[in-house]
Amino acid sequence: MQVLCSGTQSGPPNEPYRYGVLGLLMWGSVCGAEIELSRCDLTASEGRQEVTARCGGLEVALDREHPAGEQIELRVAVVDALAEQAEPDPLFVIAGGPGDAATGFFAATEGAFSRILRRRDIVLVDQRGSGASAPLNCDAFDEDRLGEIVDLEIVVDAAVECLGQLDHDPRFFTTSIAVRDLDEVREALGYERVNLYGISYGTRVAQHYLRRYPERTRSVILDGVVSPDIALGPDVALASQEALDALFERCREDQECRSAYPDLPARFNAVLDRLGDAPVAVTIDHPRTGELTETTIDRYTLIAVVRLLIYSPRTASVLPALVESAYEGDYRALAAHAMFVSESVENLAQGLNYAVACTEDAPYTGDVDFDALAATYMGTTFVDALNRVCERWPAGTMDEDLRELVETDVPVLLLSGELDPITPPRYASAAAARMTNTIDIVGRGQGHGMLTVACAQGLMAKFVDRPDADELDLGCVDRIRPFPLFTSPMGPAP
């Protein structure tokens, strides 16, 4: 077992590993908090991907106002740089959700960081409440309830049930506390400065860390940006409808798609109404296990599937074919996609999701245009459910300035998808209003998060290597294209 500690050393924090016992004696003598690291394998959902790393735990106070009180353990993983002599400043990868685990997220997306990993360690901290860091998991949300999960009453009942199942007080699982955890990990690992990558909700965490610890932050990458002054909730249905409308319009403008799926918006609305009137029982082979599975498809199933498939241009490309099959009365493809979607919902720590949303979003939604929401395919259910749930959930610890725009001259790279259904590009523009050293990139036809786009991966690596460079070659941005639409259940046209 190996130990890596904080201190006043001037060399790289992984020196002890490269100089053996002598290194540990030389560097360990100045340790404060310690993290014991040993070899481990990080896995994505269902263990389909593995990444070799060094993992350990760091005990921190549940309530930072009472450091001697109850303790929880944060799971920490370090993926070592490929270079024999790594750069001294690692990349901290911060997952989204809230409720996604950084270790699982990285295992699923490792290839996107391969160029950064050549020269820099990558550090992963499962945010408190997620993954293996005192997770706020709930049995109330399971994959068998996907079809119901958007239904207002069932969501509220499940969330209240979830609150009663938690092992820890959710008031101490918020962004304001999470950034202090991150910096304690940085110190314990001995890094003087760090680079940050945050995706979706993780961009809120990254921005608040930058606000709290500017002297510790060398550069920041924000992917699918949440502006601090925007409360997530009311805009979700509107942005998702905009992305769906753009997809339908793209199909109309494409001759092959238009020929295969005429009048797609009307057919989608017809399916939505039909399933609202009469849910359909479907029996299919489970797409992952192959087991014969019975399920019920209703209006809320369709809403949930569309909402999550439209996050990515690759998955959104199947929607025209999916809608057409359902319109013709064949719901098997919709049921199969619902099962895939249910697994992604199941892997999210719902307790952490509500702990953050009920502290940092729901109280600040302001006046909501419910008529505009009612005109979307999602309707008002999302906002109604959030408000109802948060009436029952306790508000947690939140710094007074959490919702203020960050003023900084630290280099920041902002990445947005043109058709992002939850954090549209205007959010990135809002977040950058008081930042003086930014590069703002919008990917044509892309959805939520640019991490899988080769152009974005290359730009991220170049940016982290030289964040203070006068220019970053953005030539590849103009070559970004959306994924081809399916013109049959077999795939895109040749």
Side-chain angles (χ1 to χ4, degrees), residues 100-127:
D100 200 4
T103 51
F105 170 76
F106 181 80
T109 59
E110 174 199 15
F113 297 96
S114 60
R115 276 173 276 195
I116 295 175
L117 192 58
R118 292 172 189 171
R119 300 178 57 184
R120 282 181 170 77
D121 296 340
I122 290 182
V123 179
L124 311 164
V125 182
D126 285 352
Q127 182 171 329

PDB file of all heavy atoms in Angstrom, residues 100-127:
ATOM      1  N   ASP A 100     -24.231  11.774 -10.116  1.00  0.00           N
ATOM      2  CA  ASP A 100     -23.349  10.881 -10.850  1.00  0.00           C
ATOM      3  C   ASP A 100     -22.021  10.790 -10.107  1.00  0.00           C
ATOM      4  O   ASP A 100     -21.572  11.764  -9.495  1.00  0.00           O
ATOM      5  CB  ASP A 100     -23.134  11.417 -12.265  1.00  0.00           C
ATOM      6  CG  ASP A 100     -22.645  10.353 -13.233  1.00  0.00           C
ATOM      7  OD1 ASP A 100     -22.544   9.184 -12.821  1.00  0.00           O
ATOM      8  OD2 ASP A 100     -22.363  10.697 -14.393  1.00  0.00           O
ATOM      9  N   ALA A 101     -21.373   9.613 -10.161  1.00  0.00           N
ATOM     10  CA  ALA A 101     -20.093   9.407  -9.492  1.00  0.00           C
ATOM     11  C   ALA A 101     -18.961   9.701 -10.455  1.00  0.00           C
ATOM     12  O   ALA A 101     -18.962   9.229 -11.602  1.00  0.00           O
ATOM     13  CB  ALA A 101     -19.983   7.977  -8.986  1.00  0.00           C
ATOM     14  N   ALA A 102     -17.969  10.452 -10.016  1.00  0.00           N
ATOM     15  CA  ALA A 102     -16.845  10.812 -10.880  1.00  0.00           C
ATOM     16  C   ALA A 102     -16.087   9.578 -11.351  1.00  0.00           C
ATOM     17  O   ALA A 102     -15.637   9.528 -12.506  1.00  0.00           O
ATOM     18  CB  ALA A 102     -15.904  11.769 -10.140  1.00  0.00           C
ATOM     19  N   THR A 103     -15.929   8.582 -10.478  1.00  0.00           N
ATOM     20  CA  THR A 103     -15.179   7.385 -10.861  1.00  0.00           C
ATOM     21  C   THR A 103     -15.893   6.623 -11.971  1.00  0.00           C
ATOM     22  O   THR A 103     -15.269   6.194 -12.950  1.00  0.00           O
ATOM     23  CB  THR A 103     -14.963   6.471  -9.646  1.00  0.00           C
ATOM     24  OG1 THR A 103     -16.225   6.238  -8.985  1.00  0.00           O
ATOM     25  CG2 THR A 103     -14.004   7.111  -8.651  1.00  0.00           C
ATOM     26  N   GLY A 104     -17.197   6.440 -11.855  1.00  0.00           N
ATOM     27  CA  GLY A 104     -17.951   5.750 -12.889  1.00  0.00           C
ATOM     28  C   GLY A 104     -18.019   6.549 -14.173  1.00  0.00           C
ATOM     29  O   GLY A 104     -17.917   5.997 -15.274  1.00  0.00           O
ATOM     30  N   PHE A 105     -18.191   7.867 -14.049  1.00  0.00           N
ATOM     31  CA  PHE A 105     -18.240   8.730 -15.228  1.00  0.00           C
ATOM     32  C   PHE A 105     -16.935   8.634 -16.007  1.00  0.00           C
ATOM     33  O   PHE A 105     -16.936   8.490 -17.235  1.00  0.00           O
ATOM     34  CB  PHE A 105     -18.496  10.177 -14.800  1.00  0.00           C
ATOM     35  CG  PHE A 105     -18.324  11.177 -15.908  1.00  0.00           C
ATOM     36  CD1 PHE A 105     -19.293  11.323 -16.890  1.00  0.00           C
ATOM     37  CD2 PHE A 105     -17.177  11.966 -15.985  1.00  0.00           C
ATOM     38  CE1 PHE A 105     -19.125  12.235 -17.932  1.00  0.00           C
ATOM     39  CE2 PHE A 105     -16.996  12.877 -17.020  1.00  0.00           C
ATOM     40  CZ  PHE A 105     -17.982  13.008 -17.993  1.00  0.00           C
ATOM     41  N   PHE A 106     -15.814   8.676 -15.300  1.00  0.00           N
ATOM     42  CA  PHE A 106     -14.532   8.614 -15.995  1.00  0.00           C
ATOM     43  C   PHE A 106     -14.320   7.254 -16.637  1.00  0.00           C
ATOM     44  O   PHE A 106     -13.799   7.166 -17.763  1.00  0.00           O
ATOM     45  CB  PHE A 106     -13.377   8.927 -15.038  1.00  0.00           C
ATOM     46  CG  PHE A 106     -12.036   8.908 -15.714  1.00  0.00           C
ATOM     47  CD1 PHE A 106     -11.605   9.995 -16.453  1.00  0.00           C
ATOM     48  CD2 PHE A 106     -11.223   7.793 -15.629  1.00  0.00           C
ATOM     49  CE1 PHE A 106     -10.378   9.975 -17.100  1.00  0.00           C
ATOM     50  CE2 PHE A 106      -9.995   7.762 -16.280  1.00  0.00           C
ATOM     51  CZ  PHE A 106      -9.572   8.860 -17.004  1.00  0.00           C
ATOM     52  N   ALA A 107     -14.700   6.189 -15.955  1.00  0.00           N
ATOM     53  CA  ALA A 107     -14.545   4.851 -16.535  1.00  0.00           C
ATOM     54  C   ALA A 107     -15.303   4.726 -17.847  1.00  0.00           C
ATOM     55  O   ALA A 107     -14.861   4.038 -18.766  1.00  0.00           O
ATOM     56  CB  ALA A 107     -15.020   3.792 -15.543  1.00  0.00           C
ATOM     57  N   ALA A 108     -16.448   5.411 -17.928  1.00  0.00           N
ATOM     58  CA  ALA A 108     -17.262   5.342 -19.144  1.00  0.00           C
ATOM     59  C   ALA A 108     -16.738   6.243 -20.253  1.00  0.00           C
ATOM     60  O   ALA A 108     -17.085   6.046 -21.421  1.00  0.00           O
ATOM     61  CB  ALA A 108     -18.706   5.708 -18.816  1.00  0.00           C
ATOM     62  N   THR A 109     -15.914   7.229 -19.909  1.00  0.00           N
ATOM     63  CA  THR A 109     -15.488   8.235 -20.899  1.00  0.00           C
ATOM     64  C   THR A 109     -13.968   8.362 -20.977  1.00  0.00           C
ATOM     65  O   THR A 109     -13.461   9.346 -21.511  1.00  0.00           O
ATOM     66  CB  THR A 109     -16.084   9.609 -20.546  1.00  0.00           C
ATOM     67  OG1 THR A 109     -15.637  10.006 -19.231  1.00  0.00           O
ATOM     68  CG2 THR A 109     -17.600   9.583 -20.573  1.00  0.00           C
ATOM     69  N   GLU A 110     -13.243   7.377 -20.495  1.00  0.00           N
ATOM     70  CA  GLU A 110     -11.786   7.469 -20.368  1.00  0.00           C
ATOM     71  C   GLU A 110     -11.110   7.925 -21.655  1.00  0.00           C
ATOM     72  O   GLU A 110     -10.196   8.757 -21.646  1.00  0.00           O
ATOM     73  CB  GLU A 110     -11.222   6.113 -19.947  1.00  0.00           C
ATOM     74  CG  GLU A 110      -9.703   6.058 -19.913  1.00  0.00           C
ATOM     75  CD  GLU A 110      -9.168   4.637 -19.943  1.00  0.00           C
ATOM     76  OE1 GLU A 110      -9.938   3.715 -20.269  1.00  0.00           O
ATOM     77  OE2 GLU A 110      -7.969   4.462 -19.649  1.00  0.00           O
ATOM     78  N   GLY A 111     -11.558   7.397 -22.788  1.00  0.00           N
ATOM     79  CA  GLY A 111     -10.902   7.715 -24.045  1.00  0.00           C
ATOM     80  C   GLY A 111     -10.900   9.196 -24.368  1.00  0.00           C
ATOM     81  O   GLY A 111      -9.975   9.693 -25.029  1.00  0.00           O
ATOM     82  N   ALA A 112     -11.906   9.911 -23.909  1.00  0.00           N
ATOM     83  CA  ALA A 112     -12.000  11.343 -24.196  1.00  0.00           C
ATOM     84  C   ALA A 112     -10.885  12.128 -23.509  1.00  0.00           C
ATOM     85  O   ALA A 112     -10.568  13.245 -23.929  1.00  0.00           O
ATOM     86  CB  ALA A 112     -13.361  11.874 -23.764  1.00  0.00           C
ATOM     87  N   PHE A 113     -10.297  11.561 -22.462  1.00  0.00           N
ATOM     88  CA  PHE A 113      -9.244  12.256 -21.708  1.00  0.00           C
ATOM     89  C   PHE A 113      -7.851  11.705 -22.019  1.00  0.00           C
ATOM     90  O   PHE A 113      -6.889  12.059 -21.333  1.00  0.00           O
ATOM     91  CB  PHE A 113      -9.516  12.123 -20.209  1.00  0.00           C
ATOM     92  CG  PHE A 113     -10.792  12.770 -19.748  1.00  0.00           C
ATOM     93  CD1 PHE A 113     -11.954  12.012 -19.614  1.00  0.00           C
ATOM     94  CD2 PHE A 113     -10.850  14.125 -19.469  1.00  0.00           C
ATOM     95  CE1 PHE A 113     -13.142  12.600 -19.183  1.00  0.00           C
ATOM     96  CE2 PHE A 113     -12.033  14.715 -19.058  1.00  0.00           C
ATOM     97  CZ  PHE A 113     -13.180  13.958 -18.907  1.00  0.00           C
ATOM     98  N   SER A 114      -7.747  10.844 -23.025  1.00  0.00           N
ATOM     99  CA  SER A 114      -6.489  10.125 -23.250  1.00  0.00           C
ATOM    100  C   SER A 114      -5.322  11.068 -23.535  1.00  0.00           C
ATOM    101  O   SER A 114      -4.194  10.823 -23.083  1.00  0.00           O
ATOM    102  CB  SER A 114      -6.655   9.118 -24.395  1.00  0.00           C
ATOM    103  OG  SER A 114      -7.020   9.771 -25.602  1.00  0.00           O
ATOM    104  N   ARG A 115      -5.573  12.146 -24.285  1.00  0.00           N
ATOM    105  CA  ARG A 115      -4.470  13.057 -24.599  1.00  0.00           C
ATOM    106  C   ARG A 115      -4.020  13.849 -23.375  1.00  0.00           C
ATOM    107  O   ARG A 115      -2.835  14.150 -23.218  1.00  0.00           O
ATOM    108  CB  ARG A 115      -4.887  13.990 -25.735  1.00  0.00           C
ATOM    109  CG  ARG A 115      -4.687  13.362 -27.108  1.00  0.00           C
ATOM    110  CD  ARG A 115      -5.246  14.201 -28.233  1.00  0.00           C
ATOM    111  NE  ARG A 115      -6.668  13.959 -28.414  1.00  0.00           N
ATOM    112  CZ  ARG A 115      -7.343  14.326 -29.485  1.00  0.00           C
ATOM    113  NH1 ARG A 115      -6.738  14.980 -30.462  1.00  0.00           N
ATOM    114  NH2 ARG A 115      -8.626  14.063 -29.602  1.00  0.00           N
ATOM    115  N   ILE A 116      -4.956  14.182 -22.500  1.00  0.00           N
ATOM    116  CA  ILE A 116      -4.585  14.879 -21.264  1.00  0.00           C
ATOM    117  C   ILE A 116      -3.820  13.942 -20.345  1.00  0.00           C
ATOM    118  O   ILE A 116      -2.858  14.332 -19.679  1.00  0.00           O
ATOM    119  CB  ILE A 116      -5.850  15.431 -20.568  1.00  0.00           C
ATOM    120  CG1 ILE A 116      -6.497  16.507 -21.443  1.00  0.00           C
ATOM    121  CG2 ILE A 116      -5.517  15.983 -19.182  1.00  0.00           C
ATOM    122  CD1 ILE A 116      -7.815  17.039 -20.912  1.00  0.00           C
ATOM    123  N   LEU A 117      -4.218  12.664 -20.338  1.00  0.00           N
ATOM    124  CA  LEU A 117      -3.600  11.675 -19.447  1.00  0.00           C
ATOM    125  C   LEU A 117      -2.154  11.366 -19.832  1.00  0.00           C
ATOM    126  O   LEU A 117      -1.395  10.853 -19.017  1.00  0.00           O
ATOM    127  CB  LEU A 117      -4.436  10.390 -19.471  1.00  0.00           C
ATOM    128  CG  LEU A 117      -4.149   9.321 -18.418  1.00  0.00           C
ATOM    129  CD1 LEU A 117      -4.313   9.897 -17.010  1.00  0.00           C
ATOM    130  CD2 LEU A 117      -5.048   8.120 -18.608  1.00  0.00           C
ATOM    131  N   ARG A 118      -1.752  11.705 -21.036  1.00  0.00           N
ATOM    132  CA  ARG A 118      -0.363  11.466 -21.428  1.00  0.00           C
ATOM    133  C   ARG A 118       0.608  12.196 -20.509  1.00  0.00           C
ATOM    134  O   ARG A 118       1.690  11.684 -20.200  1.00  0.00           O
ATOM    135  CB  ARG A 118      -0.129  11.932 -22.869  1.00  0.00           C
ATOM    136  CG  ARG A 118      -0.848  11.105 -23.921  1.00  0.00           C
ATOM    137  CD  ARG A 118      -0.704  11.756 -25.293  1.00  0.00           C
ATOM    138  NE  ARG A 118      -1.544  11.109 -26.302  1.00  0.00           N
ATOM    139  CZ  ARG A 118      -1.742  11.585 -27.522  1.00  0.00           C
ATOM    140  NH1 ARG A 118      -1.158  12.725 -27.887  1.00  0.00           N
ATOM    141  NH2 ARG A 118      -2.514  10.940 -28.381  1.00  0.00           N
ATOM    142  N   ARG A 119       0.234  13.385 -20.054  1.00  0.00           N
ATOM    143  CA  ARG A 119       1.175  14.226 -19.309  1.00  0.00           C
ATOM    144  C   ARG A 119       0.710  14.577 -17.900  1.00  0.00           C
ATOM    145  O   ARG A 119       1.499  15.080 -17.110  1.00  0.00           O
ATOM    146  CB  ARG A 119       1.417  15.526 -20.081  1.00  0.00           C
ATOM    147  CG  ARG A 119       1.995  15.316 -21.465  1.00  0.00           C
ATOM    148  CD  ARG A 119       2.171  16.616 -22.206  1.00  0.00           C
ATOM    149  NE  ARG A 119       3.016  17.554 -21.474  1.00  0.00           N
ATOM    150  CZ  ARG A 119       3.265  18.794 -21.880  1.00  0.00           C
ATOM    151  NH1 ARG A 119       2.736  19.240 -23.000  1.00  0.00           N
ATOM    152  NH2 ARG A 119       4.025  19.596 -21.155  1.00  0.00           N
ATOM    153  N   ARG A 120      -0.564  14.312 -17.619  1.00  0.00           N
ATOM    154  CA  ARG A 120      -1.101  14.731 -16.327  1.00  0.00           C
ATOM    155  C   ARG A 120      -1.860  13.623 -15.640  1.00  0.00           C
ATOM    156  O   ARG A 120      -2.577  12.852 -16.280  1.00  0.00           O
ATOM    157  CB  ARG A 120      -2.048  15.931 -16.495  1.00  0.00           C
ATOM    158  CG  ARG A 120      -1.339  17.227 -16.673  1.00  0.00           C
ATOM    159  CD  ARG A 120      -2.277  18.405 -16.823  1.00  0.00           C
ATOM    160  NE  ARG A 120      -1.505  19.625 -16.748  1.00  0.00           N
ATOM    161  CZ  ARG A 120      -0.764  20.084 -17.763  1.00  0.00           C
ATOM    162  NH1 ARG A 120      -0.764  19.443 -18.916  1.00  0.00           N
ATOM    163  NH2 ARG A 120      -0.044  21.184 -17.612  1.00  0.00           N
ATOM    164  N   ASP A 121      -1.731  13.569 -14.298  1.00  0.00           N
ATOM    165  CA  ASP A 121      -2.600  12.703 -13.520  1.00  0.00           C
ATOM    166  C   ASP A 121      -4.036  13.200 -13.652  1.00  0.00           C
ATOM    167  O   ASP A 121      -4.274  14.410 -13.832  1.00  0.00           O
ATOM    168  CB  ASP A 121      -2.216  12.720 -12.038  1.00  0.00           C
ATOM    169  CG  ASP A 121      -0.831  12.170 -11.779  1.00  0.00           C
ATOM    170  OD1 ASP A 121      -0.301  11.441 -12.646  1.00  0.00           O
ATOM    171  OD2 ASP A 121      -0.266  12.470 -10.702  1.00  0.00           O
ATOM    172  N   ILE A 122      -4.961  12.288 -13.523  1.00  0.00           N
ATOM    173  CA  ILE A 122      -6.376  12.655 -13.448  1.00  0.00           C
ATOM    174  C   ILE A 122      -6.896  12.204 -12.092  1.00  0.00           C
ATOM    175  O   ILE A 122      -6.706  11.050 -11.693  1.00  0.00           O
ATOM    176  CB  ILE A 122      -7.176  12.040 -14.602  1.00  0.00           C
ATOM    177  CG1 ILE A 122      -6.787  12.735 -15.903  1.00  0.00           C
ATOM    178  CG2 ILE A 122      -8.672  12.156 -14.357  1.00  0.00           C
ATOM    179  CD1 ILE A 122      -7.528  12.266 -17.133  1.00  0.00           C
ATOM    180  N   VAL A 123      -7.504  13.129 -11.382  1.00  0.00           N
ATOM    181  CA  VAL A 123      -8.001  12.869 -10.028  1.00  0.00           C
ATOM    182  C   VAL A 123      -9.521  12.852 -10.053  1.00  0.00           C
ATOM    183  O   VAL A 123     -10.159  13.737 -10.636  1.00  0.00           O
ATOM    184  CB  VAL A 123      -7.492  13.938  -9.037  1.00  0.00           C
ATOM    185  CG1 VAL A 123      -8.035  13.674  -7.638  1.00  0.00           C
ATOM    186  CG2 VAL A 123      -5.965  13.952  -9.013  1.00  0.00           C
ATOM    187  N   LEU A 124     -10.072  11.848  -9.412  1.00  0.00           N
ATOM    188  CA  LEU A 124     -11.524  11.649  -9.370  1.00  0.00           C
ATOM    189  C   LEU A 124     -11.969  11.573  -7.923  1.00  0.00           C
ATOM    190  O   LEU A 124     -11.424  10.784  -7.144  1.00  0.00           O
ATOM    191  CB  LEU A 124     -11.895  10.349 -10.094  1.00  0.00           C
ATOM    192  CG  LEU A 124     -11.272  10.179 -11.483  1.00  0.00           C
ATOM    193  CD1 LEU A 124     -11.376   8.736 -11.940  1.00  0.00           C
ATOM    194  CD2 LEU A 124     -11.943  11.110 -12.478  1.00  0.00           C
ATOM    195  N   VAL A 125     -12.926  12.397  -7.575  1.00  0.00           N
ATOM    196  CA  VAL A 125     -13.501  12.378  -6.228  1.00  0.00           C
ATOM    197  C   VAL A 125     -15.004  12.163  -6.385  1.00  0.00           C
ATOM    198  O   VAL A 125     -15.698  13.016  -6.951  1.00  0.00           O
ATOM    199  CB  VAL A 125     -13.241  13.697  -5.469  1.00  0.00           C
ATOM    200  CG1 VAL A 125     -13.810  13.612  -4.056  1.00  0.00           C
ATOM    201  CG2 VAL A 125     -11.750  14.019  -5.448  1.00  0.00           C
ATOM    202  N   ASP A 126     -15.493  11.030  -5.916  1.00  0.00           N
ATOM    203  CA  ASP A 126     -16.944  10.851  -5.887  1.00  0.00           C
ATOM    204  C   ASP A 126     -17.504  11.900  -4.924  1.00  0.00           C
ATOM    205  O   ASP A 126     -17.219  11.864  -3.721  1.00  0.00           O
ATOM    206  CB  ASP A 126     -17.323   9.448  -5.400  1.00  0.00           C
ATOM    207  CG  ASP A 126     -17.091   8.377  -6.459  1.00  0.00           C
ATOM    208  OD1 ASP A 126     -16.783   8.734  -7.601  1.00  0.00           O
ATOM    209  OD2 ASP A 126     -17.219   7.180  -6.118  1.00  0.00           O
ATOM    210  N   GLN A 127     -18.283  12.832  -5.454  1.00  0.00           N
ATOM    211  CA  GLN A 127     -18.836  13.886  -4.609  1.00  0.00           C
ATOM    212  C   GLN A 127     -19.618  13.273  -3.453  1.00  0.00           C
ATOM    213  O   GLN A 127     -20.305  12.257  -3.618  1.00  0.00           O
ATOM    214  CB  GLN A 127     -19.758  14.793  -5.431  1.00  0.00           C
ATOM    215  CG  GLN A 127     -20.332  15.956  -4.637  1.00  0.00           C
ATOM    216  CD  GLN A 127     -21.058  16.952  -5.525  1.00  0.00           C
ATOM    217  OE1 GLN A 127     -20.704  17.131  -6.681  1.00  0.00           O
ATOM    218  NE2 GLN A 127     -22.072  17.609  -4.985  1.00  0.00           N
TER     219      GLN A 127
END
